[in-house]
Amino acid sequence: MNTLEQIQENLVAGNANKVTELTNQALSEGAAAAMILDDAMIVGMKVIGDRFKAGQAFIPEMLIAARAMTAGLTILEPLLADSGVKAKGTIFVGTVQGDLHDIGKNLAAIMFKGAGYKVVDLGVNVSSAKFIDKAKEIEPDFIGISALLTTTMVNMEGIIKDLKAAGVKAKVIIGGAPVTAEYAKSIGADLYAASAADGVEAVASA
Amino acid sequence: MAKIQLQPSGVVLEVPEGTDLRDCLFEHGLEFPCGGTGACRGCLIRVNEGYLPITKSDISNLDDEEINDGWRLACQASVQGDLTLELPSITMDILSDVHMVTNITSDAGLGIAIDIGTTTLAAQLVERSSLNVLGTATALNPQGRFGADLMSRLDHALKSKKNSNTMARLIQDELYELIIKVLPKGRESELERITLVGNTAMHHLFAGLSVQSLAQFPFNPASLDSADFRSRDLGWNNIGNPTVSMLPNMGGFVGSDILAGILATGMHESLEQVALLDLGTNGEMVVGNRDGLICASAAAGPAFEGAGIGMGMSAVTGAVSEVFLENKEVRVHVLGGGSPRGICGSGLVDAVALGLDMGIIEHDGRLQAGDDWVLAAPLKLTQRDIREVQLAKGAIGAGLRLLLKEAKLEMSDLKAVYLAGAFGNYIHADKAQRMGLLECSAEQIFPVGNSALRGAKLALRAKSESELQSIRAMTSHIELATVPGFQDSFAAAMFFKDSRDLFNS
């Protein structure tokens, strides 16, 4: 098994220390940062994402895999920036105003990162104003909003309206336990993700 | 008007055509675990005569064979003409309280204590001086038709003022029915006081308070205080004019049921460190001793009450309540005999524990057998069901771990873990330990029954008022989701083994 395959395997298993060690090893062996990202990490996150969708992996496995990827990315990010590798796009993620639940949002963020997007995490309880201010500063391609509660999901509608009124051009993708495709459509969201792992596909096909 | 005959009860209803079945069948025991959104199979009924159109929810939740056999989901259906419907028979055993109280006080007259559970209601009539129980009555919470979990209820109440008024009216009317049931004719004038306990949402929905702030971060109740009335203010006539007090809340979703539970178990006077877990539809917990108490609620969801599980149901006739191994074969116990219709909380915990023992369920929750595990045809558990159990287990496990951490205690420091409510009485503690739901030893576990109802009875006495005040003053409430490390604790507790090391960062 070569080093890139080992990175992928340890990322899927959520072994952060090993991923750090192997990423450094791959670099010293002469692998380019972009290659480590594309051929080891993105592949690994796709494996765990597919397992999640198939019910073969669950939230804890996703979180530890994400942590392992973050460990590797920390090493790669400055190198990627130096070599002028461009992200596929920029995505904001945030949990809707009134809601504190961030596991779904964090998982979505890591899947986007794992697929090569630049992710800006605005945190939880995010208001329209916060999305809009940041969008004026950075101009994202997508804005992802998550909600876990039926009682807070309804706040998404106002945020989408406010974003449009403020002239923010980014496509809005929403998700979370109570959110359905019909609901997303009814409040004018551009995209919908049934789970954290589905977000990448939705964004890629937009 | 259309006639609906219900089987096996034989009850005949007359309702206008176009009436939604969920509006007329709930009071006859049919449950709507998902709030009637068509997301589960909890309200399955069978059309034996007459015509009930097939809905979209029927198609997505039932297979062709079931539909051809006349099975439908009641929640999405409305009456088109005369019908004969088969309903699962209901023999729910609601937990009341049989503990005796020994000391006699000078409190005069009669009192009624009522526990307003999210799912069930229990009322007891007592002599205030001795707290001797003279009568008990139970019922389902009529707000159940708007969803099994608290958030669905709040969501419904928030949609319109009319909705919240209806919900208040429904619960007030049902409570009045219970009062009439337990109060013997001719003794109405002796009724001095009625105490009510429940979580904060039940408090607000009963008292007609706004649940707006409770539904959103930071999840603050509109009021922490007791809601006090004279019975006549509530339209409760012909029962004298007793004081009616819905006891005060503790904070967040933790309400007077926990306040009453503390009073009943004497945690506030305990020298030793103890914990109280009330694992109902909303999981609530308290840790500490006479030097101070900390409480929190954990949104475990209703998985252990059978909701959110594909074939989950309440502990009523047809529910599998036990799953065990006999001669190397998986056996089940079906409440009321017959073939299994679904599985209730105790059966679910048994099944998961057994699945782990047999290697059918992995420690990370994966089902080895593939997508389904057939326990006793047609009853099966799916991978999704196991994931629901993991979410519930994660919420409870993380809640208790964080509360202990906040109190600077270890699980082993607890002299007693009091298990309140139906969960503590019906769930098999050894199986709950096997699946890691209770991370303490058997010697620490003490089922305490309906401690909320017992506390409500104690609160019928005049002297309890100052005691309740001091419990409130010594108990702090924490909002678990805001505690740093919640996400990691939650995820770690989702495994069916100790996995804290994976998340130590």
Side-chain angles (χ1 to χ4, degrees), chain A residues 90-115:
Chain A
T90 302
I91 303 182
F92 286 3
V93 295
T95 301
V96 73
Q97 185 159 32
D99 204 330
L100 283 186
H101 296 88
D102 63 352
I103 291 183
K105 182 262 297 169
N106 293 350
L107 291 179
I110 205 71
M111 291 309 294
F112 288 135
K113 253 191 222 175

Side-chain angles (χ1 to χ4, degrees), chain B residues 286-461:
Chain B
V286 193
V287 167
N289 66 1
R290 66 177 189 179
D291 297 327
L293 297 165
I294 311 178
C295 67
S297 66
F304 293 119
E305 305 201 333
I309 300 295
M311 295 192 69
M313 60 187 289
S314 303
V316 297
T317 304
V320 164
S321 63
E322 284 174 51
V323 182
F324 53 94
L325 216 50
E326 198 176 77
N327 300 327
K328 295 182 184 166
E329 299 267 343
V330 177
R331 303 267 181 217
V332 299
H333 174 76
V334 181
L335 290 176
S339 62
R341 276 205 310 121
I343 190 163
C344 65
S346 63
L348 189 61
V349 169
D350 280 9
V352 172
L354 183 62
L356 289 164
D357 278 343
M358 294 174 71
I360 289 173
I361 300 171
E362 296 283 304
H363 287 295
D364 60 12
R366 262 181 309 143
L367 256 184
Q368 276 302 0
D371 278 347
D372 297 335
W373 177 25
V374 179
L375 290 170
L379 176 63
K380 61 187 182 188
L381 284 184
T382 65
Q383 181 67 65
R384 235 190 115 101
D385 295 338
I386 308 294
R387 299 307 188 194
E388 286 295 321
V389 171
Q390 285 183 269
L391 287 174
K393 175 186 177 299
I396 294 165
L400 192 53
R401 282 177 196 176
L402 290 175
L403 263 193
L404 286 170
K405 201 170 155 193
E406 203 74 20
K408 299 191 172 59
L409 294 172
E410 297 287 330
M411 193 72 77
S412 55
D413 294 329
L414 297 176
K415 189 78 182 169
V417 176
Y418 300 124
L419 291 184
F423 185 93
N425 275 265
Y426 303 126
I427 301 263
H428 307 118
D430 54 333
K431 301 296 165 57
Q433 282 169 313
R434 172 63 187 92
M435 65 167 275
L437 183 60
L438 296 174
E439 298 175 305
C440 49
S441 69
E443 296 77 52
Q444 286 170 289
I445 297 176
F446 296 88
V448 291
N450 192 337
S451 55
L453 186 59
R454 188 151 70 255
K457 281 188 281 184
L458 291 168
L460 288 167
R461 291 170 157 180

Side-chain angles (χ1 to χ4, degrees), chain A residues 55-56 67 98 103 106 151 155, chain B residues 215-217 366 387 487-488:
Chain A
Q56 290 296 301
R67 186 166 302 166
I103 291 183
N106 293 350
T151 53
N155 297 343
Chain B
Q216 307 250 343
F217 172 77
R366 262 181 309 143
R387 299 307 188 194
Q487 172 178 296
D488 285 355

